[in-house]
Amino acid sequence: MAENPHNYGSDAHSILEMLFSYYHECNNTDTDTDTVKAAFEDIYQRMHGMPLREMDRIVDAVCTLCQEHEKAGFVKGIKVGICLDQEL
């Protein structure tokens, strides 16, 4: 493997990240739930009057943080599942 490293895709550096990428693609959680809408509405209200570029920077950072949090939870869940399987 050192001589021929595996290509996990542009968004992944491991098999778990690749699994998350495919999971997220097939089970997109970007739904229009009331809590998500309310949270973004709160962010936009707090940014009222800011220049559009600054608003974009903040929203991009928030979305990245949310995706990284979701990815970390997914990876942790897979690891817990593996440990549970080993115990059984």
Side-chain angles (χ1 to χ4, degrees), residues 21-35:
S21 180
Y22 289 123
Y23 167 82
H24 191 269
E25 186 178 313
C26 294
N27 298 293
N28 195 338
T29 58
D30 295 337
T31 60
D32 292 333
T33 62
D34 292 335
T35 52

Side-chain angles (χ1 to χ4, degrees), residues 2 4-6 12 16 18 21 23 31-34 37 41 43 46 52 55 57 71-72 75-77 82-85:
N4 298 310
H6 187 72
L16 281 176
M18 184 180 67
S21 180
Y23 167 82
T31 60
D32 292 333
T33 62
D34 292 335
K37 280 183 176 179
E41 184 61 33
I43 289 171
R46 292 171 188 262
L52 185 57
M55 290 175 70
R57 286 183 43 212
K71 186 190 306 182
V75 169
K76 184 69 172 178
I82 290 169
C83 289
L84 179 61
D85 184 59

Side-chain angles (χ1 to χ4, degrees), residues 17-79:
E17 286 186 11
M18 184 180 67
L19 283 172
F20 173 76
S21 180
Y22 289 123
Y23 167 82
H24 191 269
E25 186 178 313
C26 294
N27 298 293
N28 195 338
T29 58
D30 295 337
T31 60
D32 292 333
T33 62
D34 292 335
T35 52
V36 172
K37 280 183 176 179
F40 272 100
E41 184 61 33
D42 184 44
I43 289 171
Y44 288 122
Q45 290 297 322
R46 292 171 188 262
M47 294 187 302
H48 183 73
M50 291 177 116
L52 185 57
R53 285 184 190 220
E54 186 65 23
M55 290 175 70
D56 284 346
R57 286 183 43 212
I58 292 170
V59 170
D60 286 348
V62 168
C63 291
T64 298
L65 177 63
C66 291
Q67 184 175 13
E68 289 303 314
H69 181 73
E70 184 181 1
K71 186 190 306 182
F74 176 85
V75 169
K76 184 69 172 178
I78 294 291
K79 289 178 179 179

Side-chain angles (χ1 to χ4, degrees), residues 3-16:
E3 293 175 14
N4 298 310
H6 187 72
N7 180 3
Y8 298 111
S10 62
D11 294 337
H13 299 92
S14 68
I15 291 173
L16 281 176

